[in-house]
Amino acid sequence: MNKSIGSTWGKWDFHVHTPYSILNNNFGFNPFEPEEDNYENNHEKEFDTYVKTLFNKAIENNIVAIGITDYFTIEGYKRIKEKYLNCPEKLKECFPDEKTRNKIKDIYVFPNIEFRIEDFVGKNANSVNYHVIFSGDLSIKLIEENFLHSLQFEFGNNTTRPLTMNNIKLFGESTKKVKGISGNPYLIGFENITVSSDKICNKIKESDLRPNFLVAIPVDENLSKIPWTGRDYTTRRKLYYQADCYMTSSPATKNWALAKNEEQSRIEEFGSIKPCIWGSDAHDYDTMFNPAKQRHCWIKAQPSFEGLLQILYEPETRVVIQEEMPFIKDNHQLIKRKH
C-alpha cells in the first residue's frame, strides 16, 4: 500500500488463528504438547512453516492487516512479534528475499483475543464468543499484565484465579481429576474456562487501555438464535450494547447495524450505530485469508489502529464486506500527504 496516500481501501482479516488455538487447531502440530528438554527445538521448524505460510499468503492475497487470534491468550501473537517481526535475523532466515521482508513490514499485525464468556443462551444453552482486539502498538507486557493476567476466572470451590497460562493448565489438571478424564491439560482447561463479559469490559476500563482496543461480537452465530422476545433477550441486548462493532459478513445484518430499514430508536437501544467487520476464522492453511463466500473485509484507512478506529465514526463509508475492492477514485481525486 502506498503510504503517501491518505485513505485507500485495504483488505483486512480480523480472525486468523495460530497453532496456539488448541480448541480447533488444524495446523499439523500442537505447541502445548507435554514439555520436554528439546520442546522449543521440536516446534521451531513447525512454527517457521506457520509464519512463512501466514505472510506469503497475506502477500499473495493483498492483505494489509491481520488480527492474530487465539483463545484466552496472545501466545501466538507474542511468538510472531517477539521471535519473528522484532527479530531481523530470524525474519531474514525465513524470508531471504528483501522485497518480501519489506512487504511483511508494511502489514499491520495486531492481537485478537477470543473468549468464551459465561453467558449461555437459547434452549440448547449455546456458548457465546467475545473478541477483544488490541492495538498492535501496545506492548505485550501491558496487555498481559494490565488485562489478561488481572482477569479472574472461576477455578472451583468458590475460588477464582488470574487468567494465566499456568493457571489454565492447573485448571485443566484439576478438571481431569474431577471428571476422571484424560488428555492435554491445556486443552481441557481451554474447553472448560469461561470469563464474564462484564469483568472483561470493566477490566479494560480500569486498565486505561482505551482507545487502544475494540470489543467485537459474532452476532450471526449463537446470538442470532435468540428471539427478540424471551428470557435471553436481556443478555443479547447487553452483549450488543457492549460491542464496539459486530463480526458478521451478512449484508442483512450489516444493514440492520447501520439502521437500514429499521427505526433509529431500535438501534439506539444497543448504544449506537455500529460497523461490521469480518475475517477468515482460519484454523488451517487452506482457509487462511479465504473467508466463506469470498466476503473480504475492506477498510478505507491506513493500516493502523488509529485508522481502524475511523470505522466507529463512519461505519457506512469506511468498511465494506464483499469479494472485490470497492470503487477507487482517480489518482487526481486522492489527497496525498505532505512530505
Side-chain angles (χ1 to χ4, degrees):
M1 175 177 287
N2 186 348
K3 293 187 177 182
S4 67
I5 298 176
S7 294
T8 60
W9 290 102
K11 193 189 299 183
W12 294 51
D13 193 320
F14 286 88
H15 200 177
V16 180
H17 284 269
T18 83
Y20 285 91
S21 292
I22 192 172
L23 290 177
N24 189 12
N25 171 22
N26 295 305
F27 291 108
F29 74 101
N30 176 14
F32 290 115
E33 287 178 349
E35 288 85 347
E36 301 169 353
D37 291 339
N38 59 348
Y39 169 77
E40 189 64 30
N41 290 333
N42 285 345
H43 292 299
E44 183 174 359
K45 290 183 178 179
E46 287 91 343
F47 210 85
D48 284 353
T49 298
Y50 171 83
V51 171
K52 290 175 185 177
T53 306
L54 175 76
F55 287 113
N56 283 326
K57 278 183 170 284
I59 292 169
E60 291 171 7
N61 288 277
N62 298 313
I63 302 295
V64 302
I66 308 171
I68 302 297
T69 308
D70 282 314
Y71 300 104
F72 299 101
T73 179
I74 56 170
E75 290 299 307
Y77 171 78
K78 179 164 66 173
R79 186 164 184 170
I80 292 169
K81 287 283 282 190
E82 292 182 343
K83 297 192 176 182
Y84 295 88
L85 296 181
N86 293 343
C87 184
E89 292 181 357
K90 184 64 175 178
L91 198 64
K92 187 174 182 179
E93 175 189 328
C94 292
F95 303 95
D97 181 62
E98 184 179 4
K99 290 183 179 179
T100 300
R101 293 198 303 275
N102 289 335
K103 289 179 180 179
I104 291 171
K105 292 174 184 177
D106 284 339
I107 298 173
Y108 184 62
V109 178
F110 56 94
N112 174 3
I113 307 172
E114 185 168 358
F115 294 92
R116 178 180 286 115
I117 59 175
E118 291 177 353
D119 298 294
F120 289 84
V121 297
K123 62 180 181 180
N124 295 323
N126 296 304
S127 62
V128 177
N129 291 332
Y130 201 91
H131 293 254
V132 181
I133 297 168
F134 284 102
S135 166
D137 300 318
L138 284 178
S139 75
I140 290 169
K141 182 179 180 180
L142 184 65
I143 296 172
E144 288 187 326
E145 293 185 357
N146 287 27
F147 175 60
L148 276 176
H149 297 173
S150 60
L151 273 177
Q152 300 283 324
F153 71 94
E154 297 293 333
F155 195 87
N157 297 323
N158 295 318
T159 64
T160 62
R161 290 198 183 184
L163 187 64
T164 65
M165 293 305 299
N166 186 57
N167 282 335
I168 291 171
K169 180 183 178 182
L170 292 175
F171 180 71
E173 291 174 343
S174 174
T175 304
K176 286 172 63 176
K177 293 178 181 179
V178 171
K179 294 186 176 182
I181 57 178
S182 61
N184 186 297
Y186 286 110
L187 174 59
I188 294 170
F190 282 129
E191 286 176 331
N192 289 276
I193 284 175
T194 60
V195 181
S196 161
S197 65
D198 292 334
K199 288 181 180 179
I200 291 172
C201 289
N202 291 336
K203 185 56 62 178
I204 297 176
K205 292 175 183 177
E206 291 170 4
S207 62
D208 294 325
L209 290 170
R210 198 176 278 281
N212 295 300
F213 79 94
L214 293 175
V215 172
I217 307 291
V219 292
D220 284 327
E221 293 179 357
N222 292 323
L223 276 176
S224 65
K225 300 174 184 177
I226 303 175
W228 289 115
T229 58
R231 62 182 179 86
D232 288 325
Y233 168 71
T234 54
T235 298
R236 186 177 185 180
R237 180 185 181 277
K238 178 189 74 172
L239 295 175
Y240 276 51
Y241 191 92
Q242 289 175 341
D244 295 298
C245 49
Y246 304 136
M247 296 190 80
T248 177
S249 67
S250 165
T253 303
K254 179 183 177 181
N255 287 339
W256 176 87
L258 295 173
K260 298 283 186 178
N261 305 318
E262 294 281 351
E263 293 295 327
Q264 183 66 30
S265 60
R266 179 149 175 87
I267 301 303
E268 289 175 351
E269 185 176 5
F270 303 104
S272 65
I273 295 174
K274 298 179 182 181
C276 295
I277 60 175
W278 194 235
S280 57
D281 192 12
H283 288 263
D284 56 52
Y285 293 126
D286 290 339
T287 54
M288 195 177 274
F289 311 119
N290 185 25
K293 299 181 181 180
Q294 293 299 301
R295 288 178 175 173
H296 298 285
C297 187
W298 301 89
I299 292 181
K300 188 180 181 183
Q302 285 293 319
S304 65
F305 202 78
E306 185 180 50
L308 174 60
L309 290 177
Q310 293 303 310
I311 70 173
L312 301 182
Y313 308 106
E314 301 173 80
E316 186 170 7
T317 59
R318 288 278 182 175
V319 57
V320 173
I321 299 172
Q322 60 187 40
E323 181 174 357
E324 300 295 335
M325 179 185 290
F327 172 75
I328 301 178
K329 295 180 179 180
D330 294 333
N331 286 335
H332 72 274
Q333 294 178 293
L334 296 173
I335 300 174
K336 297 187 178 182
R337 295 181 178 178
K338 294 182 180 179
H339 296 282

